[in-house]
Amino acid sequence: MAKNLELLNLSLSEELRSEDFNEELLNILLEKNDTNLLVKALGELAKAQGMTKISRETGIGRESLYKALREGANPRCDTVIKVIHALGYKIVVVPKGG
Protein backbone atom coordinates (compact mmCIF):
# COMPACT_ATOMS: atom_id res chain seq x y z
CA MET A 1 0.00 0.00 0.00
CA ALA A 2 1.20 3.44 -0.81
CA LYS A 3 1.94 5.61 2.19
CA ASN A 4 0.96 8.65 0.22
CA LEU A 5 -1.40 11.06 1.92
CA GLU A 6 -2.88 11.84 -1.50
CA LEU A 7 -4.93 8.69 -0.89
CA LEU A 8 -6.92 10.72 1.60
CA ASN A 9 -8.22 12.99 -1.13
CA LEU A 10 -10.19 10.05 -2.48
CA SER A 11 -13.73 9.50 -1.42
CA LEU A 12 -12.95 7.33 1.57
CA SER A 13 -16.18 5.34 1.39
CA GLU A 14 -15.07 3.84 -1.95
CA GLU A 15 -11.88 2.43 -0.42
CA LEU A 16 -13.24 1.23 2.93
CA ARG A 17 -13.67 -2.37 1.92
CA SER A 18 -10.16 -3.55 2.77
CA GLU A 19 -9.08 -4.12 6.37
CA ASP A 20 -5.48 -3.61 5.27
CA PHE A 21 -6.33 -0.23 3.77
CA ASN A 22 -8.28 0.83 6.86
CA GLU A 23 -5.51 -0.22 9.22
CA GLU A 24 -2.83 1.54 7.23
CA LEU A 25 -4.97 4.65 6.83
CA LEU A 26 -5.50 4.98 10.59
CA ASN A 27 -1.82 4.33 11.31
CA ILE A 28 -0.72 6.96 8.78
CA LEU A 29 -3.08 9.54 10.25
CA LEU A 30 -2.01 8.80 13.82
CA GLU A 31 1.64 8.98 12.80
CA LYS A 32 1.14 12.24 10.88
CA ASN A 33 -0.72 13.71 13.86
CA ASP A 34 -3.50 14.99 11.59
CA THR A 35 -6.48 15.12 13.93
CA ASN A 36 -8.92 16.53 11.37
CA LEU A 37 -8.28 13.78 8.84
CA LEU A 38 -8.30 11.14 11.59
CA VAL A 39 -11.75 12.26 12.73
CA LYS A 40 -12.98 12.34 9.13
CA ALA A 41 -11.61 8.84 8.49
CA LEU A 42 -13.18 7.48 11.69
CA GLY A 43 -16.50 8.95 10.60
CA GLU A 44 -16.26 7.33 7.18
CA LEU A 45 -15.22 3.99 8.69
CA ALA A 46 -18.11 4.16 11.17
CA LYS A 47 -20.56 4.88 8.33
CA ALA A 48 -19.15 2.00 6.31
CA GLN A 49 -19.59 -0.43 9.23
CA GLY A 50 -22.94 1.05 10.21
CA MET A 51 -23.35 3.97 12.57
CA THR A 52 -26.06 2.10 14.50
CA LYS A 53 -23.63 -0.75 15.21
CA ILE A 54 -20.87 1.65 16.28
CA SER A 55 -23.35 3.56 18.44
CA ARG A 56 -24.45 0.39 20.18
CA GLU A 57 -20.85 -0.76 20.77
CA THR A 58 -19.63 2.60 22.08
CA GLY A 59 -22.70 3.51 24.09
CA ILE A 60 -22.77 6.87 22.29
CA GLY A 61 -25.95 7.99 20.52
CA ARG A 62 -25.97 7.89 16.71
CA GLU A 63 -26.60 11.61 16.33
CA SER A 64 -23.84 12.38 18.82
CA LEU A 65 -21.47 10.18 16.83
CA TYR A 66 -22.37 11.92 13.57
CA LYS A 67 -21.63 15.29 15.22
CA ALA A 68 -18.42 14.11 16.90
CA LEU A 69 -17.04 12.49 13.74
CA ARG A 70 -17.85 15.16 11.19
CA GLU A 71 -15.07 17.08 9.48
CA GLY A 72 -13.82 19.91 11.66
CA ALA A 73 -15.22 18.41 14.87
CA ASN A 74 -13.07 18.14 17.97
CA PRO A 75 -14.30 14.96 19.71
CA ARG A 76 -13.26 13.96 23.20
CA CYS A 77 -10.39 11.52 23.49
CA ASP A 78 -12.60 8.84 25.06
CA THR A 79 -14.97 9.10 22.08
CA VAL A 80 -12.12 8.55 19.62
CA ILE A 81 -10.83 5.56 21.61
CA LYS A 82 -14.31 4.01 21.88
CA VAL A 83 -14.87 4.39 18.13
CA ILE A 84 -11.47 2.90 17.29
CA HIS A 85 -12.26 -0.10 19.51
CA ALA A 86 -15.77 -0.47 18.05
CA LEU A 87 -14.23 -0.52 14.58
CA GLY A 88 -12.12 -3.49 15.67
CA TYR A 89 -8.79 -1.75 16.23
CA LYS A 90 -6.67 -0.82 19.22
CA ILE A 91 -4.11 1.89 19.84
CA VAL A 92 -0.60 0.76 20.75
CA VAL A 93 2.13 3.06 22.03
CA VAL A 94 5.70 2.43 20.86
CA PRO A 95 8.84 4.53 21.05
CA LYS A 96 9.37 6.94 18.15
CA GLY A 97 11.37 5.33 15.41
CA GLY A 98 10.43 1.91 16.73
Side-chain angles (χ1 to χ4, degrees), residues 4-78:
N4 188 340
L5 289 179
E6 289 177 20
L7 287 173
L8 302 176
N9 292 328
L10 299 173
S11 172
L12 290 175
S13 58
E14 294 174 15
E15 296 294 331
L16 301 181
R17 305 290 178 247
S18 161
E19 287 298 316
D20 289 338
F21 179 89
N22 297 346
E23 179 182 342
E24 185 156 352
L25 174 65
L26 292 176
N27 279 319
I28 289 169
L29 296 175
L30 286 166
E31 192 173 309
K32 294 294 182 185
N33 198 23
D34 192 327
T35 308
N36 290 327
L37 284 176
L38 176 63
V39 169
K40 179 180 179 181
L42 289 174
E44 294 295 328
L45 286 167
K47 289 177 198 171
Q49 285 196 18
M51 198 62 85
T52 299
K53 172 189 170 278
I54 302 302
S55 172
R56 191 171 42 250
E57 291 184 24
T58 60
I60 302 169
R62 265 178 16 96
E63 292 302 317
S64 295
L65 280 175
Y66 276 110
K67 288 177 185 176
L69 300 176
R70 71 178 186 266
E71 192 168 1
N74 191 18
R76 293 175 22 170
C77 184
D78 66 324

